[in-house]
């Protein structure tokens, strides 16, 4: 059994996962990418400040080890991450190529491995508690063979593989509502009839992966700058129809906030209230059918997204959708 499951879970703990080293910082270079690499810590801080739980009640995941990662990734890909230029390409921050790799491992890849461990553990906890949230993860552009788009490890593929092998899961539905197409896990599950992918994304932005689109069972391609009313109607319609077509043992919800109006990369126009309603809708559908759900925070490129994620989680709690 992986050491990822060897964590302390107190009776007062919530199935919400976070580690203080989720946040990424490497001499200010992280600011060269629009991704807010400190949002995870701010989400956790806001949840504590709003008294959802005590800091000591946080479930702290372990780092995904090489053996864990090799359950999906091959050695060749993992070895490529020992070259800083490879990580620079994946993170889209060119100066990272000039850093010694031991710094890249500690400041960039270690946080990614912690978040990946959090996603895997969250999948297991969702099966036990009915729901779980990893305040991190959602690296949906990384496949078992290739990273990209600020995604170095295929945490969604790993979550599903571990859940199938260790948590009694046979059928999984991925609901990906990040603004970008989730091409990494789609490539990994191309021929899997027991993994159903619902992906709602802006058709005009990265990654334009036509091959990966063929793995999507329900593909909803949005025009740029779609707003709340149309977006929420489409999410509700296609989530309901997907769950009528396929009966999963687990839902993996990739809840990117880069759909927010003003996001420089998502190019959609969803309000903070719209994002909160969206998350409520997805959790409500899962809870009505008694399907365990795990939420990953994925993309979001404005500093306001941390507040929105925290407000959404607080709203889910107040509405009884994430009970203790």
């Amino acid at each position: 059994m992986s050491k990822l499951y060897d964590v302390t879970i107190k009776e007062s703990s919530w199935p919400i996962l976070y580690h203080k080293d989720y946040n990424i910082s490497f001499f200010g270079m992280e600011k060269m990418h629009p991704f807010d690499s400190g949002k995870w810590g701010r989400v956790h801080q806001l949840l504590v400040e709003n008294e959802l739980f005590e800091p000591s009640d946080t479930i702290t995941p372990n780092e995904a080890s090489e053996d864990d990662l090799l359950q999906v990734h091959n050695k060749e890909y993992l070895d490529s991450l020992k070259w800083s230029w490879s990580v620079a390409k994946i993170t889209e921050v060119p100066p990272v190529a000039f850093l010694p790799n031991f710094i890249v491992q500690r400041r960039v890849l270690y946080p990614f491995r912690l978040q990946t461990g959090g996603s895997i553990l969250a999948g297991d906890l969702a099966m036990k508690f009915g729901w779980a949230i990893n305040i991190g993860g959602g690296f949906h552009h990384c496949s078992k063979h290739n990273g990209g788009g600020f995604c170095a490890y295929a945490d969604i593929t790993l979550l599903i593989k571990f859940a199938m092998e260790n948590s009694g899961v046979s059928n999984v539905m991925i609901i990906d509502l990040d603004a970008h197409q989730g091409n990494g896990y789609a490539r990994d599950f191309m021929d899997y009839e027991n993994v159903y992918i619902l992906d709602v994304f802006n058709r005009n932005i990265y990654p334009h992966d036509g091959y990966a689109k063929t793995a999507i069972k329900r593909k909803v391609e949005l025009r740029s700058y779609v707003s709340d009313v149309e977006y929420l109607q489409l999410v509700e319609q296609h989530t309901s129809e997907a769950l009528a077509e396929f009966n999963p043992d687990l839902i993996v919800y990739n809840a990117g906030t880069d759909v927010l109006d003003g996001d420089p990369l998502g190019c959609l126009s969803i309000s903070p209230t719209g994002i909160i309603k969206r998350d409520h809708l997805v959790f409500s559908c899962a809870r009505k059918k008694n399907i365990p759900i795990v939420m990953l925070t994925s993309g979001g490129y404005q500093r306001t997204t941390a507040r929105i994620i925290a407000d959404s989680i607080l709203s889910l709690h107040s509405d009884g959708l994430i009970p203790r």
Side-chain angles (χ1 to χ4, degrees):
M1 182 70 74
S2 169
K3 291 184 178 179
L4 291 173
Y5 300 117
D6 186 18
V7 297
T8 300
I9 301 177
K10 300 189 300 184
E11 189 173 338
S12 57
S13 294
W14 289 64
I16 297 178
L17 292 92
Y18 170 74
H19 192 291
K20 63 180 179 60
D21 290 333
Y22 272 14
N23 301 302
I24 297 172
S25 174
F26 43 102
F27 314 113
M29 289 185 187
E30 70 279 1
K31 296 176 182 177
M32 299 181 70
H33 191 284
F35 195 94
D36 179 6
S37 58
K39 75 175 181 181
W40 306 290
R42 287 197 296 279
V43 172
H44 181 260
Q45 180 182 0
L46 288 165
L47 294 177
V48 170
E49 288 176 356
N50 282 270
E51 301 181 345
L52 185 64
F53 50 72
E54 295 293 328
S56 59
D57 292 333
T58 303
I59 297 176
T60 304
N62 294 319
E63 172 190 9
S65 68
E66 183 173 30
D67 284 344
D68 295 323
L69 298 171
L70 285 169
Q71 298 302 306
V72 163
H73 292 292
N74 57 37
K75 190 75 163 58
E76 181 181 7
Y77 173 71
L78 295 181
D79 285 347
S80 76
L81 300 179
K82 296 175 183 177
W83 296 92
S84 296
W85 63 266
S86 294
V87 182
K89 183 178 178 182
I90 289 168
T91 58
E92 301 171 346
V93 182
V96 168
F98 301 102
L99 292 176
N101 191 257
F102 76 89
I103 293 176
V104 174
Q105 292 290 331
R106 183 66 184 86
R107 295 297 189 94
V108 183
L109 294 178
Y110 173 61
F112 282 154
R113 289 192 294 269
L114 278 173
Q115 292 191 40
T116 297
S119 293
I120 294 169
L121 179 59
D124 183 66
L125 294 179
M127 295 303 296
K128 294 174 179 175
F129 289 88
W131 66 274
I133 298 172
N134 183 20
I135 305 178
F139 304 133
H140 64 160
H141 298 308
C142 186
S143 70
K144 59 185 176 183
H145 297 307
N146 292 289
F150 214 73
C151 301
Y153 300 110
D155 71 318
I156 294 177
T157 304
L158 282 156
L159 184 167
I160 292 171
K161 181 174 177 59
F162 272 76
M164 288 180 171
E165 292 186 353
N166 302 306
S167 305
V169 171
S170 297
N171 300 308
V172 175
M173 178 177 289
I174 299 170
I175 299 178
D176 194 339
L177 301 186
D178 186 277
H180 298 82
Q181 174 198 353
N183 60 321
Y185 62 75
R187 285 175 168 264
D188 292 338
F189 293 117
M190 186 66 64
D191 299 316
Y192 285 65
E193 291 299 319
N194 59 338
V195 177
Y196 184 109
I197 299 171
L198 162 60
D199 198 351
V200 182
F201 60 92
N202 185 340
R203 64 174 177 260
N204 298 313
I205 61 174
Y206 174 92
H208 303 292
D209 191 335
Y211 176 69
K213 285 182 182 180
T214 63
I216 302 172
K217 301 294 194 300
R218 185 170 285 267
K219 178 171 74 261
V220 184
E221 299 189 65
L222 304 171
R223 57 181 173 81
S224 294
Y225 307 111
V226 67
S227 56
D228 287 16
V229 174
E230 180 181 354
Y231 177 74
L232 291 171
Q233 186 274 327
L234 287 169
V235 170
E236 182 173 20
Q237 173 192 338
H238 288 282
T239 301
S240 297
E241 291 178 359
L243 287 169
E245 289 178 1
F246 185 81
N247 185 30
D249 303 311
L250 174 68
I251 293 173
V252 178
Y253 174 35
N254 202 46
T257 47
D258 51 359
V259 299
L260 180 66
D261 186 24
D263 191 282
L265 299 184
C267 298
L268 297 176
S269 298
I270 310 307
S271 69
T273 300
I275 292 173
I276 292 170
K277 287 181 177 178
R278 176 199 71 176
D279 295 347
H280 186 285
L281 188 157
V282 174
F283 268 80
S284 180
C285 285
R287 302 297 286 172
K288 283 178 182 176
K289 289 181 172 288
N290 293 315
I291 303 169
I293 181 170
V294 54
M295 172 175 156
L296 312 174
T297 56
S298 200
Y301 305 93
Q302 301 181 78
R303 288 186 65 84
T304 53
T305 60
R307 174 82 261 180
I308 296 167
I309 294 167
D311 285 347
S312 182
I313 294 171
L314 293 167
S315 176
L316 291 171
H317 171 56
S318 66
D319 290 341
L321 293 172
I322 53 171
R324 279 289 291 269

